[in-house]
Amino acid sequence: MHQMAWKDRWYGGNRSAAHRYLTNGLVLGAIAGAYGYSVNFVSSSLWWTAGSSLALGVTIVCLVAIVHGFKTGRLTSQPSISLPLRFVGLLVLAALVFCISWLLIVRAVPDTITRIVGVNAEFTVPLTAVYGRGTKSRRCEYRLEGEFLERAFPGRLCVSSSFAPFPSDVNITLQVKTTALGMHIVRFEQASANKRLQATRENGPPEPCR
């Protein structure tokens, strides 16, 4: 009896197979998406575009399946909910599915692959040490930003207040693992010599992340 009550609370009283798959899929996807958000991964330009398109395709397929589920009665909603509210709810669900799919496909999965089979590399890039509190930086007051991190999402590396003078331009040496999907940043520190920065400006970072 206790187990049935727990399931009723978890699935909202609807224990159809389609409803269970949808609920469990969103929860597990959100957990994996949180991992994708937190990793220090820089997608390659190719995978950023291809992965985003793939995430959009997954969202469309899921949205069609959800609509079909409601039409066939496998998924149900409260009869008191009006049609406009159902439409808004569907749009919110589509946005949620896209965000989760994008974090999984563009970040979580390629980061895991890169950690396992990536090639070790080291190079130096110019970044800017930034300090400031804002909507997007509330938990990352001291951070590094720059062109190299544009595809790192959310486009920064969080650091301590003692890492560098704030604000300032700094040369950062990155130790990474790299594949055609992108780069996983293993470790980073301030560069010890300007010669390494000059070499990076002339040669650029490894090809996969251009």
Side-chain angles (χ1 to χ4, degrees):
M1 183 66 68
H2 177 73
Q3 184 179 9
M4 292 182 63
W6 178 86
K7 288 184 177 180
D8 285 338
R9 288 194 296 269
W10 178 252
Y11 296 115
N14 186 336
R15 303 225 305 267
S16 66
H19 188 89
R20 292 199 305 269
Y21 293 151
L22 177 61
T23 303
N24 293 339
L26 287 175
V27 172
L28 293 176
I31 294 173
Y35 165 78
Y37 180 84
S38 64
V39 295
N40 288 331
F41 182 73
V42 184
S43 299
S44 67
S45 57
L46 175 62
W47 187 245
W48 180 276
T49 302
S52 298
S53 300
L54 185 57
L56 180 60
V58 170
T59 302
I60 293 173
V61 171
C62 290
L63 193 60
V64 170
I66 291 170
V67 172
H68 179 72
F70 280 115
K71 284 187 175 182
T72 58
R74 295 180 179 178
L75 292 173
T76 59
S77 61
Q78 294 294 331
S80 59
I81 300 177
S82 64
L83 186 61
L85 283 179
R86 292 183 185 184
F87 180 73
V88 171
L90 195 61
L91 290 179
V92 172
L93 185 59
L96 181 61
V97 170
F98 176 77
C99 290
I100 291 175
S101 300
W102 189 88
L103 287 170
L104 282 172
I105 295 171
V106 178
R107 293 186 57 76
V109 173
D111 178 76
T112 302
I113 294 174
T114 301
R115 284 175 183 242
I116 296 172
V117 302
V119 177
N120 293 321
E122 180 177 312
F123 58 94
T124 304
V125 294
L127 295 175
T128 301
V130 178
Y131 168 77
R133 297 182 180 180
T135 303
K136 297 182 179 180
S137 59
R138 197 167 293 171
R139 296 183 180 180
C140 192
E141 296 179 13
Y142 298 91
R143 58 196 182 276
L144 301 175
E145 298 178 350
E147 182 180 355
F148 174 78
L149 297 175
E150 286 180 352
R151 293 188 300 276
F153 187 79
R156 66 183 184 230
L157 291 173
C158 297
V159 296
S160 66
S161 59
S162 59
F163 185 85
F166 293 86
S168 65
D169 293 329
V170 291
N171 308 327
I172 303 299
T173 298
L174 300 170
Q175 295 178 8
V176 304
K177 300 194 75 171
T178 178
T179 63
L181 300 174
M183 295 182 183
H184 171 75
I185 300 175
V186 178
R187 188 170 179 270
F188 61 91
E189 60 186 3
Q190 288 197 62
S192 57
N194 291 329
K195 292 181 179 179
R196 301 173 73 179
L197 174 62
Q198 183 64 33
T200 302
R201 285 176 172 171
E202 292 175 357
N203 301 325
E207 184 66 27
C209 278
R210 284 186 176 179

